[in-house]
Amino acid sequence: MRIGELASQSGMSVDTIRYYEKIGLLPTANRLASGYRQYDKNSITVLSFVSSAKKLGMSLDDIKALLAIELDKSAASCETVKGFIAEQLLQVEQKMDQLKSIEQAMRRLHDTCCGGDESALCCSILQAMERGDV
Amino acid sequence: MRIGELASQSGMSVDTIRYYEKIGLLPTANRLASGYRQYDKNSITVLSFVSSAKKLGMSLDDIKALLAIELDKSAASCETVKGFIAEQLLQVEQKMDQLKSIEQAMRRLHDTCCGGDESALCCSILQAMERGDV
DNA sequence: CTTGACTTTAGACTCAACTCCAAGGTTATG
DNA sequence: CATAACCTTGGAGTTGAGTCTAAAGTCAAG
């Protein structure tokens, strides 16, 4: 199959597939005599793998590392794979914690303001923000 | 005070302050005869306000909108300010939900894998990702 | 008067992850 | 065989939020 069909089968754009090859995320594709890239069912699996990783919020660099393991499975252990995911999980948890503390700060601010239709001259939200008190 | 002192008082870099003025986030500064920008205590308050907004994860565009309210407080109401924060809060909550579902998916994946030191050929993490099953 | 620290500007560069473009080559269809 | 629909490449542009540079002007201290 050529790149257009792979794109429609995988849900990725032709440009994205070429981009992934260029940055070394995807292995270089075989070429037909015409110079066209040639793919098979296995390529769909690989792109499905990449899609999964993207859904999990991984960076392309991290996906590249994990795909290297995937494409040489027999050389890696479950331990390695699980450890990799554990690391990603840790990063997600850190982001969550940051976001949670932002949410809390924002809710605190929100709750101190009366929300009435009087002028905002004494608005406790604005005042706290002026003081850097968030 | 000149820009260097404002920078050290506010914790922002000289470049950042000039950048904020350029994109219209900060009002254009008064100039000395030399052409140097001139600031006062009030400028520190404004930058402190901007810092607070950044700590709350707001985009510069949103900060610009909120700062317009702050700089013309008497024209706005607490209702408006509180509503603005409520919107931001909503966005943060949406991000949290996305992150939460990523975390759950990742934890599910993580927990299905034995994590042993055998080859990853049958690793349930890799297999689920190949299937797009995340 | 010189030196060093400060300031000015326009404009280029960074990161991530694409997306788009132009100019050309190939293939499938009528 | 003409035409449309595909494919190729290198390279430029996008977004957000800065950061850095070069070349020039200003100011305070010794």
Side-chain angles (χ1 to χ4, degrees):
Chain A
M1 118 185 69
R2 297 183 312 193
I3 198 168
E5 200 188 334
L6 179 62
S8 55
Q9 297 274 326
S10 68
M12 286 189 184
S13 80
V14 165
D15 274 333
T16 299
I17 295 172
R18 278 194 288 244
Y19 170 67
Y20 283 175
E21 182 181 326
K22 186 159 69 178
I23 63 170
L25 199 168
L26 296 178
T28 55
N30 292 328
R31 301 293 183 124
L32 297 167
S34 58
Y36 288 7
R37 289 175 182 80
Q38 186 184 217
Y39 300 95
D40 53 18
K41 267 180 308 179
N42 196 28
S43 314
I44 301 182
T45 304
V46 170
L47 283 192
S48 169
F49 186 91
V50 171
S51 283
S52 296
K54 282 191 65 62
K55 276 182 211 148
L56 295 173
M58 295 188 197
S59 73
L60 294 189
D61 264 9
D62 287 347
I63 296 176
K64 194 191 287 192
L66 187 55
L67 191 55
I69 294 176
E70 157 79 4
L71 294 179
D72 193 12
K73 277 183 183 195
S74 53
S77 66
C78 274
E79 201 180 350
T80 309
V81 176
K82 193 169 185 173
F84 192 102
I85 298 298
E87 251 179 73
Q88 297 288 322
L89 198 47
L90 210 66
Q91 286 176 30
V92 170
E93 277 160 2
Q94 281 169 9
K95 257 195 216 166
M96 282 269 296
D97 287 348
Q98 283 170 27
L99 212 51
K100 231 177 258 173
S101 73
I102 284 180
E103 192 201 354
Q104 282 165 12
M106 216 176 261
R107 198 180 298 282
R108 264 196 307 274
L109 266 190
H110 183 265
D111 291 352
T112 59
C113 176
C114 65
D117 64 354
E118 61 268 43
S119 125
L121 272 173
C122 305
C123 175
S124 48
I125 294 177
L126 298 183
Q127 284 175 355
M129 290 182 69
E130 286 166 22
R131 288 193 310 272
D133 196 5
V134 291
Chain B
M1 116 185 70
R2 298 183 312 194
I3 199 168
E5 200 188 333
L6 179 61
S8 55
Q9 297 274 325
S10 69
M12 287 189 183
S13 81
V14 165
D15 274 333
T16 300
I17 296 171
R18 278 193 289 244
Y19 171 67
Y20 284 175
E21 183 181 325
K22 186 159 71 180
I23 64 170
L25 198 168
L26 296 177
T28 55
N30 291 327
R31 300 295 182 122
L32 297 167
S34 59
Y36 288 5
R37 288 174 182 82
Q38 185 185 219
Y39 300 96
D40 55 19
K41 267 180 307 179
N42 195 28
S43 314
I44 300 183
T45 304
V46 171
L47 283 193
S48 170
F49 186 91
V50 171
S51 283
S52 296
K54 281 191 66 61
K55 277 182 209 147
L56 294 172
M58 297 188 196
S59 73
L60 295 188
D61 264 8
D62 286 347
I63 297 176
K64 195 191 286 192
L66 187 55
L67 191 56
I69 295 175
E70 157 79 5
L71 294 179
D72 193 12
K73 277 184 182 192
S74 52
S77 66
C78 274
E79 201 180 350
T80 310
V81 176
K82 193 167 184 172
F84 192 102
I85 298 298
E87 252 180 72
Q88 296 289 321
L89 198 48
L90 210 66
Q91 287 176 29
V92 170
E93 277 159 2
Q94 282 170 8
K95 258 196 218 165
M96 283 267 296
D97 287 348
Q98 283 170 26
L99 212 51
K100 230 176 259 174
S101 74
I102 284 180
E103 192 200 354
Q104 280 165 13
M106 215 176 262
R107 198 180 298 283
R108 264 196 307 276
L109 265 190
H110 182 265
D111 291 352
T112 60
C113 176
C114 65
D117 65 352
E118 61 266 45
S119 125
L121 273 172
C122 305
C123 175
S124 47
I125 294 176
L126 298 182
Q127 284 175 356
M129 291 182 68
E130 287 165 23
R131 289 193 310 272
D133 195 5
V134 289

